[in-house]
Amino acid sequence: MSAKKEGDGGWKSFIWNSEKKEFLGRTGGSWLKIFSFYVIFYGCLAGIFIGTIQAMLLTLSNYKPTYQDRVAPPGLSHSPRPEKAELSFSMAEESSYSAYVKNIEDFLKAYDKDKQNDEIKFEDCGDTPQDYKDRGELESSEGIRKVCRFHRELLKECSGQTDESYGFKDGKPCLIVKLNRIVFFRPRAPASNDSIPEAVRPNFQNNLIPIHCSSKREEEADKLGPIDYFGIGTGFPLQYYPYYGKLLQPQYLQPLVAIKFHNITKNMDMRIECKVYGQNIDYNEKDRSQGRFDIKITIKS
């Protein structure tokens, strides 16, 4: 019995030793010192962390990424954008291309006229390619900037206004192409005709980033058929640039180009490459979306 009492007294005295005035083996002064140490230690760590974050935030802009060295401008993308960049459908089966049609329609809804009526946010910038639309500096007190209207009617046969199937029903599919947005990027038009394909030269205009599509394989060039380009000119007009970002241009609509393939040979895999041309537009084999895109189109009769 005495041993049990001594054992009970052992753990009880460890929790609170009334003779030495110790709690869990430490006096009040010892607990105060260790508590003060950790408060100061973790307070300093928190101060260093907060100070580092605040210093970093001072180098950042609310309107433009401070560092864009890993962004290779610009990317070229299209709608519809099927998996594995393969567009395959049958003219006789609506279900085989209905998803493509819906994808284009959903994308073009933002370009409806009734969504661009606000005169405070939108303005007409002409229906021919023009020079950049300068709307001031990013870091200024001007606030929200206007944007140029781009009506889907400019895409003509690929606007969905006259052909709700966007050419898929007739085996003449449309692709809606855009240059991806990069804040304050100014694409520069080709310096001369020598820097663009010969097929583009007859229709080339100043203040325009031209686009051209061709067969990926030279031996299949005669199987691609004629191609039409709809929009403002045969490319991307400069008056829609630069883009000022979501804070200053939340309603921004980048210009589009519709590409219509009129007579792709049926029942074969046609590999097509589309590229844009400009002085500051490059291409990279590791990034197939930089300044271009590849797509395989298979039309089943």
Side-chain angles (χ1 to χ4, degrees), residues 200-215:
V200 181
R201 296 173 189 175
N203 298 321
F204 177 64
Q205 299 170 271
N206 292 327
N207 299 319
L208 186 77
I209 303 298
I211 185 171
H212 179 66
C213 299
S214 60
S215 171

Side-chain angles (χ1 to χ4, degrees), residues 222-233:
D222 60 332
K223 295 179 171 57
L224 179 57
I227 302 173
D228 276 339
Y229 303 87
F230 303 117
I232 298 180

Side-chain angles (χ1 to χ4, degrees), residues 78 135 137 203 218-219 226 236 245 280 290:
H78 57 86
R135 304 181 189 278
E137 295 298 323
N203 298 321
E218 291 186 8
E219 62 272 17
F236 303 96
N280 55 349
Q290 184 180 333

Side-chain angles (χ1 to χ4, degrees), residues 2-207:
S2 60
K4 185 176 181 181
K5 289 180 180 179
E6 288 177 3
D8 292 344
W11 66 265
K12 287 181 179 179
S13 63
F14 173 73
I15 294 175
W16 171 249
N17 189 322
S18 57
E19 294 179 1
K20 297 181 180 181
K21 305 298 182 181
E22 293 179 345
F23 176 68
L24 296 179
R26 291 182 180 275
T27 63
S30 177
W31 278 114
L32 179 62
K33 290 176 182 178
I34 197 169
F35 178 76
S36 299
F37 169 79
Y38 281 110
V39 167
I40 295 171
F41 176 72
Y42 285 111
C44 289
L45 286 182
I48 293 171
F49 177 75
I50 294 171
T52 301
I53 295 297
Q54 290 298 323
M56 183 188 69
L57 291 176
L58 291 174
T59 68
L60 301 180
S61 168
N62 290 328
Y63 306 104
K64 180 183 179 181
T66 303
Y67 302 105
Q68 292 181 293
D69 56 317
R70 293 192 178 186
V71 179
L76 189 68
S77 58
H78 57 86
S79 177
R81 193 175 182 85
E83 293 183 7
K84 300 180 180 179
E86 297 179 3
L87 201 68
S88 178
F89 65 96
S90 171
M91 298 163 53
E93 297 179 17
E94 183 179 352
S95 59
S96 67
Y97 59 78
S98 59
Y100 303 145
V101 171
K102 185 178 185 304
N103 187 275
I104 296 176
E105 182 60 31
D106 290 345
F107 175 71
L108 289 180
K109 283 181 180 178
Y111 291 82
D112 288 340
K113 276 188 175 182
D114 59 359
K115 295 183 179 179
Q116 303 177 55
N117 290 332
D118 194 334
E119 296 294 336
I120 297 177
K121 298 178 180 179
F122 295 91
E123 66 176 325
D124 292 324
C125 297
D127 54 4
T128 58
Q130 299 176 24
D131 202 359
Y132 304 110
K133 199 75 173 179
D134 191 356
R135 304 181 189 278
E137 295 298 323
L138 281 174
E139 305 283 351
S140 69
S141 58
E142 294 183 38
I144 300 297
R145 318 296 167 85
K146 285 188 174 184
V147 299
C148 293
R149 292 184 174 93
F150 191 98
H151 296 142
R152 62 191 295 176
E153 284 76 10
L154 291 166
L155 304 180
K156 298 180 181 178
E157 296 175 23
C158 295
S159 67
Q161 305 294 313
T162 58
D163 180 7
E164 294 182 353
S165 74
Y166 296 94
F168 283 87
K169 182 179 180 181
D170 301 320
K172 301 177 181 181
C174 292
L175 292 180
I176 311 300
V177 185
K178 64 177 181 178
L179 277 175
N180 293 342
R181 303 176 184 182
I182 296 178
V183 177
F184 228 56
F185 174 65
R186 296 172 184 257
R188 297 202 302 272
S192 66
N193 279 348
D194 296 335
S195 60
I196 59 178
E198 187 174 349
V200 181
R201 296 173 189 175
N203 298 321
F204 177 64
Q205 299 170 271
N206 292 327
N207 299 319

Side-chain angles (χ1 to χ4, degrees), residues 250-280:
Q251 66 282 349
Y252 177 78
L253 297 172
Q254 62 246 67
L256 305 175
V257 175
I259 302 171
K260 187 177 182 71
F261 302 96
H262 280 278
N263 194 23
I264 293 179
T265 301
K266 308 298 186 294
N267 302 311
M268 71 166 292
D269 296 336
M270 176 59 66
R271 295 188 177 276
I272 301 168
E273 180 183 63
C274 297
K275 300 174 70 173
V276 289
Y277 299 87
Q279 296 182 57
N280 55 349

